[in-house]
């Protein structure tokens, strides 16, 4: 822990670095001058040219005594929570900012390939063609490290810069591809895939995500299938297209994560689960009816799936009858049509949970599911001991599904602090730490019921989890948020992240 005097020196050193030796690098590509962008390219490319970055003269500052190995770890922490380091729309990404502090940090950053091994590029109609030179310089800094990148076209048809033109900068480095995400704004644009070499081996590829409304060229589909079969380490596949998954020749058996954006019939969804015995995560859009003439085996057991994200059209009861998932811990359910009043199949869901013997930790209900307060309390009791996250977001705000009855069930009574027992006999969701209710509570729900629940869980006994994140959106009939006991609620909010 630095002394007070050392802290003053650190502050002075930081001020000196920012005023004397730090050029501004927050240059936006969108609408940026080409000359400005080229200057940044030169700054990233040329490790011998410091461009005004001077070594601070006071080597006895504590910050200057940090070992380079520790500084590298600190630098990497700046990007630890980012899937891809964002390059667009402004050049203020952590690697570029770090490299602009002082000469020591610059040299260390440019010599740390892990700091540059992921990149996200968002292309708009104003994107300068100079970005391609910046990408080349960025890739050069990765040395021989595995390379992950995301390319997104945000608007319109291709102009000077396209997904295809940017993808070409990465093509020579295909043996190092680790995670690849491509998103096209228009299905008529060039995919850029045809420049990839034939019979190539993608030895490092672990994840591929393709988002395109339609694929018109059969040659593209054949090439994509070839990539999938030439990637022995591939485990994660995202396919968001109206072109069905059946057109892909994929090594389904090695997949652990599959996300499909197009609607599949019930028997097709079951087929996907059967083709992927190692699947731990699946995101599917399912219609509850099956292909005419198909035969469904009831139920289908899958022992590896832990997370399931389902968008369902039609009744969910048919789906629950088909599944047995003993390892399931996270379940997210959405409806495919907000105008369709889908009532919750409580009996089928209860049978599914009991048959599977699973212990749900996260349960999310999104869109216009018609849940009743009784339904909510029933599945809370069913998953009480394991549930940590509960999310209910109902776009159909005319339907009340969370009432005082629900909040009273979740409220820990005073005798709980002595006996750790709920009034009904068992403790009510002792591990619940995230609670999100959006657009599912009408003004008939009283302030007292809500605040009693929040207070009881803001500082519970050791055997109960404390609510860390709470989002409660209470709506009146005209759509305004209503809350009377604001002072009491704000006081509870000091104990958790509360959004009301």
């Amino acid at each position: 822990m630095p002394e007070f005097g050392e802290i003053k020196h650190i502050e002075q050193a930081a001020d000196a670095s920012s005023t004397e030796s730090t050029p501004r690098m927050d240059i936006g590509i969108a609408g940026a001058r080409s000359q400005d962008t080229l200057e940044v390219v030169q700054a990233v490319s040329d490790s011998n040219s410091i461009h005004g970055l001077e070594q601070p003269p006071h080597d006895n500052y504590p910050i200057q005594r940090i070992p380079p190995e520790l500084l590298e770890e600190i630098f990497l922490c700046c990007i630890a929570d980012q899937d891809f380091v964002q390059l667009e729309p402004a050049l203020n990404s952590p690697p570029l900012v770090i490299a602009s502090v002082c000469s020591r940090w610059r040299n260390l950053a440019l010599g740390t390939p892990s700091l540059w091994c992921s990149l996200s590029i968002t292309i708009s109609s104003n994107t300068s063609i100079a970005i391609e030179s910046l990408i080349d310089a960025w890739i050069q800094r990765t040395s021989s490290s595995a390379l992950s990148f995301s390319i997104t076209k945000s608007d319109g048809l291709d102009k000077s810069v396209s997904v295809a033109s940017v993808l070409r900068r990465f093509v020579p480095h295909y043996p190092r591809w680790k995670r690849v995400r491509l998103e096209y704004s228009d299905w008529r644009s060039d995919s850029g895939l045809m420049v990839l070499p034939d019979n190539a081996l993608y030895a490092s590829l672990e994840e591929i995500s393709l988002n395109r409304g339609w694929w018109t060229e059969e040659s593209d589909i054949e090439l994509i299938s070839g990539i999938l079969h030439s990637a022995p380490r591939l485990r994660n596949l995202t396919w968001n297209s109206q072109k069905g998954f059946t057109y892909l020749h994929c090594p389904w058996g090695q997949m652990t994560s599959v996300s499909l954006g197009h609607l599949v019939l019930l028997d097709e969804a079951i087929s996907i689960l059967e083709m992927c015995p190692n699947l731990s995560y699946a995101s599917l859009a399912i219609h509850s009816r099956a292909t005419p003439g198909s035969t469904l085996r009831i139920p289908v057991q899958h022992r590896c799936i832990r997370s399931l994200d389902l968008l369902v059209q039609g009744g969910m009861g048919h789906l629950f009858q088909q599944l047995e998932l003993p390892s399931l811990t996270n379940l997210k359910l959405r409806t495919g049509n907000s105008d369709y009043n889908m009532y919750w199949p409580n009996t089928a869901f209860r049978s599914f949970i009991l048959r599977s013997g699973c212990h749900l930790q996260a349960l999310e209900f999104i869109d216009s599911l018609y849940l009743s307060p009784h339904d909510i309390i029933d599945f809370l009791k069913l998953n009480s001991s394991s549930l940590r996250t509960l999310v209910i977001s109902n776009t159909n705000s005319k339907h009340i599904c969370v009432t005082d009855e629900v909040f009273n069930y979740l409220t820990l009574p005073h005798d709980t602090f002595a006996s750790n027992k709920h009034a009904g006999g068992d403790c009510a969701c002792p591990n619940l730490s995230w609670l999100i209710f959006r657009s599912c509570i009408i003004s008939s729900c009283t302030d007292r019921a809500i605040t009693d629940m929040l207070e009881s869980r803001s500082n519970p006994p050791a055997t109960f989890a404390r609510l860390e994140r709470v989002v409660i959106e209470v709506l009146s009939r005209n759509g305004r948020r209503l809350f009377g006991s604001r002072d009491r609620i704000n006081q509870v909010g000091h104990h958790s992240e509360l959004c009301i």
Side-chain angles (χ1 to χ4, degrees):
M1 191 74 179
E3 301 293 338
F4 178 76
E6 291 180 315
I7 294 176
K8 295 288 291 182
H9 285 303
I10 293 173
E11 292 174 346
Q12 293 170 2
D15 291 341
S17 297
S18 63
T19 56
E20 297 177 8
S21 56
T22 307
R24 296 292 295 176
M25 300 190 74
D26 55 347
I27 305 169
I29 286 291
R33 299 188 304 273
S34 297
Q35 183 61 35
D36 289 338
T37 307
L38 290 172
E39 288 176 0
V40 176
V41 174
Q42 185 179 8
V44 175
S45 303
D46 187 359
S47 60
N48 297 318
S49 177
I50 304 302
H51 294 284
L53 297 179
E54 300 293 342
Q55 185 71 28
H58 300 289
D59 293 336
N60 62 337
Y61 286 156
I63 198 170
Q64 296 300 324
R65 298 201 298 268
I66 297 178
E69 299 83 6
L70 182 55
L71 271 179
E72 285 186 14
E73 292 300 321
I74 294 173
F75 293 167
L76 293 176
C77 285
C78 296
I79 61 172
D81 61 344
Q82 301 182 33
D83 280 346
F84 299 89
V85 177
Q86 185 70 33
L87 184 62
E88 287 283 326
L91 296 178
N92 57 359
S93 60
L96 294 178
V97 173
I98 290 169
S100 68
V101 172
C102 64
S103 60
R104 184 191 180 210
W105 283 28
R106 172 187 171 78
N107 292 333
L108 189 58
L110 296 183
T112 306
S114 299
L115 197 61
W116 308 87
C117 65
S118 73
L119 181 60
S120 176
I121 304 106
T122 302
I123 306 166
S124 69
S125 56
N126 295 322
T127 298
S128 167
I129 197 171
I131 193 177
E132 297 180 3
S133 298
L134 177 57
I135 293 170
D136 290 340
W138 191 291
I139 294 175
Q140 183 183 1
R141 289 295 154 204
T142 64
S143 184
S144 58
S145 299
L147 187 60
S148 300
F149 60 92
S150 170
I151 307 173
T152 301
K153 185 72 166 66
S154 62
D155 56 8
L157 290 170
D158 296 341
K159 294 187 178 180
S160 59
V161 182
S162 64
V163 173
S165 65
V166 172
L167 181 60
R168 291 189 186 98
R169 321 313 298 184
F170 293 91
V171 167
H173 311 280
Y174 74 86
R176 297 194 285 127
W177 289 4
K178 183 178 180 180
R179 293 183 298 137
V180 176
R181 298 183 185 179
L182 304 177
E183 182 173 350
Y184 304 83
S185 61
D186 195 298
W187 60 269
R188 294 166 293 182
S189 58
D190 179 15
S191 70
L193 298 175
M194 295 309 297
V195 298
L196 289 168
D198 296 330
N199 302 318
L201 177 64
Y202 300 85
S204 300
L205 189 61
E206 298 177 2
E207 174 187 331
I208 186 167
S209 174
L210 299 173
N211 192 326
R212 182 185 175 102
W214 191 256
W215 298 84
T216 56
E217 300 294 334
E218 289 300 324
S219 55
D220 279 341
I221 298 295
E222 293 176 3
L223 182 57
I224 293 169
S225 297
I227 293 174
L228 300 180
H229 278 282
S230 301
R233 299 180 62 181
L234 184 64
R235 297 294 181 270
N236 300 339
L237 171 65
T238 297
W239 178 256
N240 287 327
S241 174
Q242 293 306 309
K243 194 87 167 181
F245 76 96
T246 54
Y247 289 90
L248 286 178
H249 299 287
C250 176
W252 298 104
Q254 70 187 52
M255 296 298 125
T256 60
S257 174
V258 170
S259 178
L260 302 179
H262 61 282
L263 195 67
V264 298
L265 298 179
L266 181 57
D267 56 301
E268 293 177 322
I270 299 300
S271 175
I272 292 170
L273 300 184
E274 292 179 323
M275 290 189 301
C276 305
N278 299 310
L279 202 62
S280 62
Y281 171 82
S283 177
L284 304 173
I286 302 175
H287 197 291
S288 60
R289 69 178 178 85
T291 304
S294 63
T295 302
L296 294 174
R297 181 168 57 88
I298 301 176
V300 172
Q301 186 183 78
H302 197 295
R303 292 191 169 275
C304 293
I305 288 183
R306 296 181 59 84
S307 296
L308 200 56
D309 184 347
L310 300 177
L311 185 149
V312 183
Q313 287 190 359
M316 287 188 180
H318 298 297
L319 176 63
F320 290 139
Q321 292 170 2
Q322 302 296 323
L323 299 176
E324 184 177 328
L325 309 175
S327 299
L328 187 67
T329 58
N330 302 314
L331 178 61
K332 182 176 182 180
L333 297 171
R334 297 169 290 152
T335 57
N337 189 341
S338 60
D339 296 327
Y340 182 79
N341 297 331
M342 184 184 295
Y343 287 89
W344 175 245
N346 192 49
T347 302
F349 179 73
R350 184 178 182 84
S351 298
F352 160 67
I353 294 294
L354 295 176
R355 180 174 63 249
S356 299
C358 58
H359 302 283
L360 291 181
Q361 297 178 10
L363 189 55
E364 298 185 46
F365 299 93
I366 309 297
D367 295 337
S368 56
L369 274 172
Y370 265 47
L371 294 163
S372 71
H374 172 75
D375 292 333
I376 297 173
I377 293 175
D378 196 46
F379 64 65
L380 286 177
K381 290 180 178 179
L382 194 61
N383 302 278
S384 178
S385 61
S386 58
L387 196 65
R388 299 178 182 179
T389 298
L390 176 63
V391 178
I392 301 178
S393 180
N394 197 340
T395 56
N396 189 352
S397 59
K398 295 181 180 179
H399 183 69
I400 303 173
C401 61
V402 176
T403 62
D404 282 3
E405 185 181 1
V406 175
F407 284 109
N408 290 338
Y409 175 78
L410 288 172
T411 301
L412 305 180
H414 292 295
D415 59 1
T416 301
F417 292 82
S419 64
N420 292 324
K421 293 292 183 180
H422 185 265
D426 296 326
C427 51
C429 303
N431 296 305
L432 189 66
S433 58
W434 279 54
L435 181 63
I436 300 177
F437 291 152
R438 282 196 175 98
S439 302
C440 57
I441 312 171
I442 314 298
S443 55
S444 59
C445 203
T446 62
D447 292 359
R448 180 172 182 176
I450 297 173
T451 51
D452 282 350
M453 185 277 295
L454 292 175
E455 285 182 340
S456 72
R457 290 182 174 270
S458 63
N459 190 22
T463 52
F464 283 76
R466 182 170 65 90
L467 279 179
E468 302 289 343
R469 171 69 170 161
V470 184
V471 177
I472 296 177
E473 193 173 78
V474 181
L475 302 177
S476 68
R477 293 294 179 180
N478 58 12
R480 293 180 302 175
R481 295 185 181 185
L482 291 181
F483 250 108
S485 306
R486 176 66 65 179
D487 292 340
R488 187 180 173 201
I489 292 168
N490 289 338
Q491 184 177 3
V492 176
H494 291 301
H495 300 286
S496 61
E497 187 179 350
L498 179 62
C499 177
I500 295 179

